[in-house]
Every structure is written in structure tokens, then in C-alpha cells.
Amino acid sequence: MSIHYSPARDTFFDASLHADLPADAVKVSADDHAMLLQARTAGMTITMKRGRPVAVQPIIPVEQRRAVAVQGVKAEAGRRIVATASLIQQANDNAAIAMAALAAAAGADGDPAANVIANAAIDRRQRIDAIRAASNQIEATIATMSARSLTALDVTADHHWPA
């Protein structure tokens, strides 16, 4: 088995299977072939250096890195919000808050048990709003971060979020 790499086609060819190799194909060892395939799987690209294929980290534009970081912030905020209150709990909280507001608008004292439920709902809503505010702040910070800073950013770290 003789493996060759074609930079023009960015792929490998086995000479025992491909009778006509591309003109730019260069022979690579089995070890190099395995290493290059593993590197490609890890997100690296293959380029030519001194006539040999080598794996390199792709240069990702800072705007793309920022977009990925913002997606991470949104995912983490969503995770923290659902940990605070499930979607069903949030819907029930919205109903409890609305019922308490209607009772107050009508001048009714309201049922004491319903008031306890509404106060707990308001507390969860305030915690969720704090998570959203933190998410907005992190996203605003990301918009000004350098590529190096983005590499070190861990949006899951608790210090970014309200306790």
C-alpha cells in the first residue's frame, strides 16, 4: 500500500486502488497518513510545507470566534435559566404573577396562599432576569475581546453569572 496526498484535491490516494494519481500527489508514510487524518478530525487543515503535507490550526477570524462565544453564552444562560425554573414552572409563574396583579388591580387582598405562590414566582423571575442581564453583559464584553482573550474565555465559569 502506497499512500499519496494531493494538495490540489486536498485528499489522500492509495496507489494500489487509484491507477492515475494526480500530478501533484506526494507519497506519505503510513504514520504520517494516520497523523494527518487524526489532525484533520481534530479540526486542523492540511497544507504543504517544503513539499510535504503538514497539519496546521486554521486561522479563525475574530468575528467568527466571537459568534461562537456568544452562542456559548446563550446556551449557558439557557441552561442556568432552566435550572432556576423549568419551562413549565416559568409558565406557571407567569400565570401566578398575572393573577396576583389582577387581584391587586381589582383592589382585592388576594388569597394568602396565592400570594405566597406569586412571591416565589416573582423571586424566580428576578433570578432569571439577573441571568439574562449577565448574559447581555458577557455578550457586550465579547464584542470587544481579542482573539487571544476569546481563547481563554470560559462562559460556564460561575464568576460570570449571578449566584
Side-chain angles (χ1 to χ4, degrees):
M1 178 168 90
S2 176
I3 302 294
H4 295 75
Y5 174 75
S6 165
R9 296 192 186 174
D10 191 27
T11 195
F12 295 93
F13 294 88
D14 183 338
S16 66
L17 299 175
H18 301 94
D20 295 322
L21 295 174
D24 67 340
V26 294
K27 189 173 181 177
V28 294
S29 70
D31 288 343
D32 285 347
H33 179 237
M35 183 274 305
L36 291 166
L37 288 177
Q38 185 176 14
R40 181 175 275 169
T41 301
M44 298 178 84
T45 58
I46 299 174
T47 189
M48 298 297 285
K49 186 172 185 179
R50 295 187 192 116
R52 305 296 312 154
V54 295
V56 296
Q57 278 292 355
I59 297 173
I60 301 170
V62 71
E63 287 306 319
Q64 186 177 348
R65 289 180 188 217
R66 287 179 181 145
V68 169
V70 166
Q71 287 174 338
V73 170
K74 290 183 184 306
E76 181 63 14
R79 187 193 68 75
R80 288 174 181 263
I81 287 169
V82 171
T84 300
S86 69
L87 294 177
I88 292 171
Q89 182 65 61
Q90 291 178 54
N92 290 337
D93 287 351
N94 291 339
I97 293 167
M99 293 301 292
L102 286 172
D109 290 335
D111 174 24
N115 289 338
V116 168
I117 293 170
N119 287 336
I122 290 168
D123 177 64
R124 282 187 291 274
R125 175 62 49 210
Q126 289 172 338
R127 287 186 281 145
I128 288 170
D129 288 345
I131 292 168
R132 287 188 174 118
S135 176
N136 291 340
Q137 179 58 49
I138 298 166
E139 288 179 38
T141 301
I142 286 170
T144 64
M145 291 177 77
S146 68
R148 179 173 287 159
S149 296
L150 288 166
T151 300
L153 178 65
D154 178 6
V155 298
T156 64
D158 286 338
H159 70 270
H160 294 296
W161 303 95

